[in-house]
Amino acid sequence: MRAAFGPGARALALLAVAWVSLAPARARADVVDDAFLAGNQAAAAGEWATAIERYREAEGLLPGRSAVLSFNLGTAYAQLGELGPATYHLRRALQAEAEASGDVAEAARRNLGIVRQRMEVAATTAGAQIDRSESWWELLLAAVAAPLFGWLALGSGWLGLVITPLAARLRGGAAAGARSLVGVLALVFVVVGALHGVALRTQASAPTAIVLPAAAAVREAPGAHRKESFTVQGGSRVRIVEEVPGWSRVRLPGGLEGWLPEGDLGRLQGAPRRRGAPSASRPSGGA
Amino acid sequence: MAELRRRALVSALALAPTLALAPRSVRADGVLAIQARLAANAIEVGESVELIVEVSREGGSEELPEPRLPDLAAMGLAVEGPTTNYRTQTSWINGRSSSSVRLTYVYYLIPSKPGRFELPVTLKDGARTVRAPSIPVLEVSGEAPAATATAPEANAKPTDARGDVFVWAMIDKPSLYVGEQLTYTMEVYERVRFQNIHLRELPGFQDFWSEELPEGRQRNELVAGVAYRVHPGLRRALFPQRAGNLRITPAQVGVGLRRRVSGQAIEVEVKPLPAEGQPAGFSANNVGRYQLSASVDRQAVKVGEPLTLSLTIRGTGNIKILDPGAWPELPGFRRYDPKVETQALTGDVIGGARRYDFLLIPEAAGPLTIPAHTLDFFDPSEGAYRKARSQPITIEVSGDPGAAAGAPAGPEPSAPPPPTATDDDLLLAPIYTPDALPRVEVAEPWLTPTRWTLGMIGAPALGLVALGARAILRRARGDAASQARAARQAAEREGIAAAEAAVASGEGFYPALAQLLQTLAVDRAGPEGQGLPRRALLDVLRRRGAEAADVDRLGALLDRCDAARFGAAAGEGKGDRRALLDEALGLLRRSSLAKGRWA
């Protein structure tokens, strides 16, 4: 018997035990699925508030991302007319990290369009400010911020570096082809790299966030007692350009700036917002 | 005992002068007195005069009571003030002190009517009444302002000179309709320059809607042959709110410090709007001349896509209170309460534009028509009712005709209604209900911004380093000429070393030295000297600028080496070889053939 379990077999067994014990994510999967299915059942019964509660429970337990969960959460908020959280979760469903399938992405875009339409109506009737649609430059930056473009620029640069000395040894047509390839790689390196760098810098210096309350009072300075500058429609996309404890200075795409309570904003980058209801800087209206 | 008596006597003697010299205070109640007088006894209506009342008490310390004036309002005397001045005085007479306090009140009296007015002033001192020994009497001359309102002609100017300053009010029409604009102007006429003319009391515009108008300019004017400077007072656009004879009470201005001048009251005849031809439900606020226009921001939309309908009413009249009337039904649209923006224009005639922005949501596909809107108004210049009408607008609505069929079609909701289940089922994509939640593990990406930045900097940096290294290597290796020169110099050094080594033994000395000198000659002669016989080689050196003596020395050294090699100079000792080598080295290093001097 001793010969049957040598040192190698014992090491393998230990590795297997360690593998099983160090994989906690799978242990939670059932809990997440249970909460998600409970949310689906509540949604099917038209109990959207309960569905949101269950979905948020699932989101809190989920270690990673789920485009379907974000989509369902955003749609449930849209059903309740809460346009700010609806926009926030639908946008998260469309983020590259969520890896939404084609049909989920299409459905999220459709619901986002409907929510946007309702936001415009609500903003017009309430006289609130709303973000304008993304410009081509913003769309371009959002696209090139993807890691794929970072790899493309990086690969082009290093590949060009490797090919350059080889091209010097070639003669005739092969040399001309190699030189052309180096030129193209250099162009990709410079253009894509510059765009990707600008996108990363913009994301780092002024992260994007969504206004969560139905209508939020933007103030001239941080503090609830400060004068109100304007009202921004819930669901509007803003950039956070400065932060002090509890308050964020935000800029609308049109250039309007002011201070909002930190709790009124849902950042699109990073971990999902796991707090409760957004702080009500103004009673909901119109949404 | 005797000692005690002696001490008492000494104390009494010491105290006596003190008691004799100490002042004796009077603690009597004191005597209260009052004096009243006028700064001037004869003035005109509107002028002010000072009534000076002095209350004093000799001795005593109680507070001085306030004087009591007669009923001045009943005499038509307006009072300003008083200003007060308090004074105390203490005097010593024959070792006795006496004190008095005096409080002076100054009242400014402004009569509004002529007459003779006695002004008895009293004091109440407990139960006792103290009267002023003399009663001031004020004689007021002039005319009191007219108590009754007049109905002047349109823009009637003053016809009589009325002293050095007077107030004049006028209207642009004596009779008008309810809601029609009446322009009221108040001006101050002065003959001499007064420092401070200010409005003290506004005219009474009861029953009028009042709007400010820009004031006129100061000008000069002759009134019954008397030159006046005319100050603009105020101008108002008045819109009567009821019919009848309405009264505008006079304004009062202050002139100088305390003079007051009143204008005249004006009565206006306000006619009711005619009943004949009056539209049903007509609002009396719609008096003026108006135009109505309608526009939309988009003429082609999708079902559910909002658009804005703007209705603009433009014209003259009291546009702030204009009633636009009931809005027409908009079949196929959901409509929200409008946002109203009024731009009032204030010139001589009040008017402006009022815009109503409606948010409309088309709920059905196809061409939808926004019907014309009609505004009824009364034109006072024509004395008739008129209509302003906008043009109907057709909106092309695309999309699924049934998409918004279930949406509520309330007539005029004040806010967007919460979405209903039916509405959302039709519009929003449904939720996903897989058996298990699809998810992705989010791992920290390897390509972090920092790594990406380092990688992006690294590639060109490495390229630059490679280029730099290549340049350094090239520089270190040099070109073909320098490489050949270095090879020759190495051969020269080798030749000298070989000759040095052979000096002692003589073995191979001459061939090595001949080789060294030959290499020198060929090197200095350059490519032209390759393969030439010795004499020709030396000629080339001469042509290339070497000094003839050095070339001759070189030729002689080479000949001597040949002679030694081939036996003609056999038997030379070590010293001879040393001297020969030194001469060759001198030629190599210090002649015109030396390396540093050779061009």
Side-chain angles (χ1 to χ4, degrees):
Chain A
M1 283 296 282
R2 287 177 67 88
F5 297 100
R10 278 201 294 266
L12 278 175
L14 277 173
L15 272 175
V17 169
W19 178 262
V20 170
S21 61
L22 291 173
R26 301 308 305 166
R28 285 185 152 194
D30 290 344
V31 186
V32 174
D33 283 338
D34 289 348
F36 177 67
L37 293 175
N40 288 348
Q41 286 170 1
E47 297 168 0
W48 295 108
T50 309
I52 288 170
E53 202 175 323
R54 297 284 87 77
Y55 288 146
R56 294 197 68 156
E57 187 183 333
E59 187 187 48
L61 293 166
L62 188 67
R65 293 285 297 269
S66 170
V68 169
L69 181 58
S70 294
F71 169 77
N72 282 8
L73 200 45
T75 304
Y77 273 118
Q79 294 283 7
L80 282 184
E82 294 187 27
L83 305 179
T87 307
Y88 172 71
H89 288 288
L90 290 171
R91 278 188 177 271
R92 280 182 66 81
L94 288 170
Q95 284 181 314
E97 300 92 321
E99 296 182 12
S101 62
D103 53 344
V104 171
E106 187 183 346
R109 273 192 285 271
R110 172 187 165 85
N111 287 1
L112 204 52
I114 293 164
V115 169
R116 172 74 192 188
Q117 198 168 298
R118 291 181 183 173
M119 280 167 54
E120 288 177 359
V121 172
T124 308
T125 52
Q129 297 290 337
I130 190 170
D131 61 320
R132 55 170 168 70
S133 302
E134 284 126 322
S135 64
W136 66 268
W137 174 249
E138 288 167 324
L139 289 171
L140 178 68
L141 283 189
V144 297
L148 170 70
F149 288 91
W151 281 114
L152 180 64
L154 209 55
S156 301
W158 285 96
L159 189 60
L161 193 66
V162 171
I163 291 177
T164 303
L166 297 177
R169 294 167 188 253
L170 296 175
R171 294 287 179 268
R179 279 197 294 273
S180 302
L181 180 61
V182 168
V184 170
L185 290 173
L187 192 66
V188 171
F189 174 77
V190 171
V191 175
V192 178
L195 288 173
H196 187 72
V198 170
L200 289 183
R201 185 180 169 79
T202 305
Q203 277 186 359
S205 62
T208 307
I210 300 295
V211 178
L212 296 173
V218 181
R219 302 189 180 275
E220 285 184 347
H225 61 288
R226 300 291 190 167
K227 189 180 172 188
E228 182 180 330
S229 298
F230 57 91
T231 304
V232 65
Q233 170 63 39
S236 295
R237 182 175 38 87
V238 295
R239 291 246 179 222
I240 298 173
V241 293
E242 188 182 348
E243 288 182 284
V244 297
W247 290 81
S248 301
R249 186 157 68 93
V250 298
R251 180 187 297 148
L252 260 76
L256 279 173
E257 282 192 8
W259 292 84
L260 275 177
E262 193 183 23
D264 284 0
L265 296 169
R267 287 171 184 260
L268 288 176
Q269 281 87 24
R273 183 188 170 78
R274 297 193 193 279
R275 294 185 196 172
S279 73
S281 61
R282 165 168 291 192
S284 297
Chain B
M1 208 50 196
E3 179 63 17
L4 279 176
R5 275 201 298 273
R6 191 182 63 81
R7 283 187 181 179
L9 182 62
V10 169
S11 299
L13 286 172
L15 210 59
T18 309
L19 290 172
L21 292 173
R24 274 174 279 177
S25 301
V26 179
R27 288 293 302 164
D29 285 346
V31 179
L32 195 63
I34 183 169
Q35 296 281 340
R37 60 187 171 86
L38 285 164
N41 292 100
I43 58 170
E44 290 202 346
V45 171
E47 290 183 342
S48 73
V49 64
E50 294 176 7
L51 172 63
I52 303 158
V53 179
E54 287 182 355
V55 181
S56 62
R57 188 196 295 274
E58 295 288 338
S61 60
E62 291 87 1
E63 283 192 359
L64 290 173
E66 196 169 335
R68 295 183 169 190
L69 302 180
D71 187 359
L72 298 174
M75 300 177 196
L77 294 170
V79 185
E80 284 187 3
T83 60
T84 57
N85 182 24
Y86 187 80
R87 228 168 19 155
T88 61
Q89 190 173 9
T90 303
S91 57
W92 294 70
I93 302 171
N94 296 329
R96 297 181 63 181
S97 71
S98 65
S99 64
S100 65
V101 290
R102 187 183 302 271
L103 187 56
T104 304
Y105 295 83
V106 180
Y107 300 88
Y108 301 93
L109 309 182
I110 304 160
S112 60
K113 62 182 181 182
R116 184 176 186 277
F117 305 105
E118 292 189 351
L119 306 170
V121 185
T122 59
L123 277 178
K124 202 72 177 171
D125 184 19
R128 189 166 63 98
T129 301
V130 181
R131 300 179 190 281
S134 62
I135 298 175
V137 177
L138 179 63
E139 295 278 352
V140 180
S141 58
E143 289 182 12
T148 56
T150 58
E153 296 293 318
N155 297 318
K157 295 283 186 182
T159 52
D160 300 326
R162 304 180 178 204
D164 55 357
V165 61
F166 68 93
V167 174
W168 186 253
M170 60 184 175
I171 51 178
D172 67 335
K173 59 189 79 161
S175 173
L176 71 164
Y177 287 102
V178 170
E180 185 182 356
Q181 178 177 334
L182 173 73
T183 303
Y184 174 92
T185 307
M186 189 273 287
E187 293 172 322
V188 180
Y189 285 67
E190 64 168 12
R191 286 179 62 186
V192 294
R193 184 180 290 276
F194 290 96
Q195 288 299 318
N196 181 17
I197 296 178
H198 54 279
L199 189 64
R200 286 189 59 90
E201 281 181 25
L202 278 171
F205 297 131
Q206 195 181 357
D207 298 323
F208 291 93
W209 177 288
S210 172
E211 292 281 343
E212 284 191 12
L213 290 176
E215 291 182 357
R217 289 183 174 181
Q218 184 175 301
R219 66 182 190 280
N220 294 321
E221 194 173 304
L222 278 177
V223 179
V226 179
Y228 281 91
R229 182 183 294 109
V230 184
H231 290 276
L234 63 89
R235 288 182 76 217
R236 290 289 173 93
L238 305 176
F239 297 90
Q241 299 298 294
R242 68 175 179 86
N245 290 331
L246 304 186
R247 190 167 186 266
I248 302 171
T249 57
Q252 188 180 65
V253 297
V255 180
L257 284 178
R258 288 182 180 86
R259 186 172 178 184
R260 294 180 186 179
V261 183
S262 295
Q264 79 274 31
I266 287 179
E267 195 170 82
V268 186
E269 181 197 4
V270 179
K271 298 177 285 188
L273 296 178
E276 185 184 351
Q278 189 175 83
F282 180 77
S283 170
N285 291 332
N286 295 6
V287 177
R289 290 174 71 92
Y290 295 106
Q291 294 172 325
L292 180 60
S293 62
S295 64
V296 289
D297 62 340
R298 282 176 281 188
Q299 288 202 302
V301 292
K302 296 174 185 172
V303 171
E305 186 179 350
L307 72 148
T308 303
L309 166 66
S310 299
L311 281 170
T312 305
I313 301 169
R314 199 181 300 275
T316 56
N318 194 1
I319 201 160
K320 287 184 180 174
I321 58 172
L322 185 78
D323 182 0
W327 303 113
E329 289 297 319
L330 300 177
F333 289 101
R334 193 189 316 171
R335 181 178 63 202
Y336 297 101
D337 281 348
K339 280 203 302 184
V340 185
E341 190 176 331
T342 303
Q343 289 181 331
L345 297 176
T346 307
D348 285 340
V349 180
I350 292 289
R354 198 164 199 210
R355 199 178 75 206
Y356 297 83
D357 287 336
F358 295 90
L359 186 72
L360 304 182
I361 311 260
E363 295 178 323
L368 296 180
T369 301
I370 298 170
H373 179 60
T374 303
L375 172 73
D376 293 312
F377 63 92
F378 178 75
D379 186 347
S381 61
E382 296 182 8
Y385 293 95
R386 295 283 180 262
K387 287 183 187 297
R389 188 174 280 111
S390 66
Q391 294 296 317
I393 300 173
T394 301
I395 306 293
E396 288 296 332
V397 183
S398 59
D400 181 6
E412 286 188 26
S414 60
T420 64
T422 311
D423 191 12
D424 285 335
D425 283 346
L426 289 167
L427 290 172
L428 288 166
I431 60 167
Y432 281 82
T433 55
D435 293 336
L437 181 65
R439 68 200 70 181
V440 288
E441 298 292 332
V442 177
E444 183 69 23
W446 184 89
L447 191 62
T448 59
T450 308
R451 284 180 179 156
W452 181 82
T453 307
L454 289 175
M456 290 296 284
I457 295 171
L462 195 61
L464 287 174
V465 168
L467 284 175
R470 191 175 162 195
I472 290 169
L473 280 176
R474 275 186 182 171
R475 178 167 293 184
R477 281 192 300 202
D479 54 8
S482 61
Q483 286 177 17
R485 191 163 50 247
R488 282 197 301 273
Q489 285 170 354
E492 198 173 283
R493 283 194 297 273
E494 285 175 10
I496 291 171
E500 288 275 9
V503 167
S505 63
E507 187 73 23
F509 172 78
Y510 292 103
L513 189 60
Q515 179 65 34
L516 177 65
L517 294 172
Q518 181 68 25
T519 303
L520 168 72
V522 171
D523 179 40
R524 304 308 189 252
E528 198 182 344
Q530 297 285 340
L532 292 179
R534 180 171 298 165
R535 296 300 156 202
L537 179 62
L538 295 177
D539 288 341
V540 170
L541 287 177
R542 285 190 193 93
R543 281 204 304 274
R544 295 199 63 182
E547 290 180 8
D550 294 335
V551 175
D552 291 341
R553 278 172 64 200
L554 177 63
L557 282 172
L558 284 170
D559 290 343
R560 194 168 163 187
C561 286
D562 288 346
R565 286 167 69 189
F566 302 114
E572 283 189 351
K574 180 183 174 185
D576 299 326
R577 290 194 290 276
R578 178 76 256 172
L580 191 61
L581 179 59
D582 289 342
E583 188 176 354
L585 291 177
L587 195 65
L588 270 171
R589 292 168 182 165
R590 293 183 291 276
S591 70
S592 61
L593 293 169
K595 178 186 160 192
R597 300 182 190 177
W598 191 251

